[in-house]
Amino acid sequence: MIRLTTTAALAACVAACLAGCVPTDSGCSGGFDAELTPDASGYATPIEAAEAWAATTAAPDTGWVEAGETVVADDWVLTVVEAGGGGWLVQSQRCAEG
């Protein structure tokens, strides 16, 4: 009986540890298109713009990579544009289709 209880406890512990290793949903939902003012000043790079924007949302704070006219992290996709006042700003957000 002790061996069976120990085995069950060990199996539960292993299952809990493995569950912690499973990738989780990124939380990406919805989308938007921003109305940017012509004189808005932006960030030095598209990545910096994405990180600054992400700090105000549920999006990942790091891990952003440029992909053409977008910046991507997990299934978050941001369109970045050059601001009239210089630099880069996030214009829109969508979730990648998976």
Side-chain angles (χ1 to χ4, degrees):
M1 179 69 175
I2 292 175
R3 174 180 258 166
L4 184 56
T5 303
T6 303
T7 303
L10 180 59
C13 182
V14 169
C17 290
L18 289 176
C21 296
V22 175
T24 58
D25 182 27
S26 75
C28 186
S29 63
F32 80 92
D33 288 308
E35 291 185 30
L36 303 176
T37 60
D39 61 345
S41 60
Y43 294 87
T45 68
I47 300 295
E48 287 180 22
E51 290 172 345
W53 175 86
T56 66
T57 68
D61 292 334
T62 59
W64 294 96
V65 294
E66 290 185 58
E69 294 180 356
T70 62
V71 181
V72 178
D74 294 332
D75 61 347
W76 294 79
V77 180
L78 305 178
T79 300
V80 291
V81 295
E82 285 188 84
W88 296 89
L89 291 170
V90 173
Q91 179 183 39
S92 65
Q93 175 261 318
R94 66 178 174 84
C95 299
E97 295 178 17

